[in-house]
Amino acid sequence: MVFLHVNVDHVATVRQARRTIEPDPVVAATLVELAGAHGITIHLREDRRHILDRDVHILRKIIQTRLNLEIAATAEMFGIALEVKPDIVMLVPELREEITTEGGLDAAGASGVMKEGIRKLKGAGIRVSLFIDPDSQQIEASQMLGAEVVELHTGSYANANAPENIEQELARLHQAALKSHEVGLQVNAGHGLNYHNTRQICQLPHLRELHIGHSIISRSVFTGISEAVREMLKVIRDATPQS
Ligand code: PXP
């Protein structure tokens, strides 16, 4: 079974376009859960461009499934995560100029702040996931850092157009999934996944969770969020090999 975790940042992006109170990502998260998703993902960015501190605190109180908090590896963000205690903290690289998270985390070049932050999170009983490119050096480094989970960045796969490039990216992800499992890491994947390209990702060995945001929230504009979640759940269910 591959679990679907829905990223509701994009609802907050619409709200912040007007700096108003709607649409509320908290309401979205509740509906996403009711539609059958297995978890909610939010990224509290340093510039607070979409998710706000208020969202994080309310969601921590009301989410019944699992709350995944994405943060950059900074002292401020580690402090918030330790206070909020989400079910899992996903460390991601963050650049102010980027539109969305572009590359994977450099686990191999982890700073002292990152190492210390991971140690404290684990000490507080919070699972740690690192969002990395499908690269064996980064996988080994993630394991050395004490992460229990890696989220393999599917952005290059999602952006590939030519069939040979798609195959090449899938092969990289396949190798990375095998390697991650071999060193004891839970295998998650995400970024740029939609109702078409998710099918092949569901074939990755040892895949546990998908984290999907933009395509589901985009579809929800036309279908409503509950239907958009149910349709993605069906895509995943139909494409996942039965074990
Ligand atoms: N996983 C991580 C670590 C992300 O940063 C994002 C985007 O915020 C996603 C998954 C979801 O990506 P998308 O919105 O392209 O589905």
Side-chain angles (χ1 to χ4, degrees), residues 53-144:
D53 297 64
R54 162 260 185 213
D55 305 326
V56 178
H57 286 100
I58 299 175
L59 286 169
R60 173 62 298 183
K61 287 202 181 86
I62 66 167
I63 287 304
Q64 306 285 316
T65 52
R66 292 243 319 272
L67 180 65
N68 310 292
L69 179 64
E70 272 182 41
I71 54 169
T74 66
E76 181 206 2
M77 289 297 155
F78 282 125
I80 293 172
L82 286 163
E83 185 198 333
V84 170
K85 293 196 170 42
D87 297 289
I88 193 160
V89 166
M90 295 153 59
L91 296 181
V92 298
E94 203 173 290
L95 296 171
R96 269 178 191 258
E97 314 77 54
E98 70 192 356
I99 294 174
T100 181
T101 314
E102 280 169 4
L105 195 72
D106 184 11
S111 65
V113 174
M114 195 195 296
K115 289 181 186 160
E116 176 69 1
I118 293 174
R119 199 184 57 73
K120 284 188 179 157
L121 289 170
K122 290 186 70 182
I126 302 169
R127 300 187 89 206
V128 177
S129 170
L130 304 185
F131 182 54
I132 56 168
D133 288 325
D135 172 280
S136 69
Q137 198 197 354
Q138 296 297 344
I139 294 164
E140 279 164 16
S142 300
Q143 194 254 356
M144 297 286 284

Side-chain angles (χ1 to χ4, degrees), residues 6-17 23 25 28 41-43 50-51 70 99-101 191-192 212-218 220-221:
V6 178
N7 182 319
V8 297
D9 295 351
H10 309 284
V11 176
T13 299
V14 178
R15 175 188 63 189
Q16 294 312 108
T41 302
I42 46 173
H43 183 178
H50 40 53
I51 292 294
E70 272 182 41
I99 294 174
T100 181
T101 314
H191 211 282
I212 307 181
H214 191 262
S215 64
I216 295 176
I217 303 305
S218 301
S220 77
V221 172

Side-chain angles (χ1 to χ4, degrees), residues 3-35:
F3 297 103
L4 172 64
H5 292 240
V6 178
N7 182 319
V8 297
D9 295 351
H10 309 284
V11 176
T13 299
V14 178
R15 175 188 63 189
Q16 294 312 108
R18 287 290 177 93
R19 307 239 190 294
T20 178
I21 57 166
E22 63 182 3
D24 192 333
V26 171
V27 175
T30 309
L31 294 172
V32 164
E33 276 198 331
L34 287 173

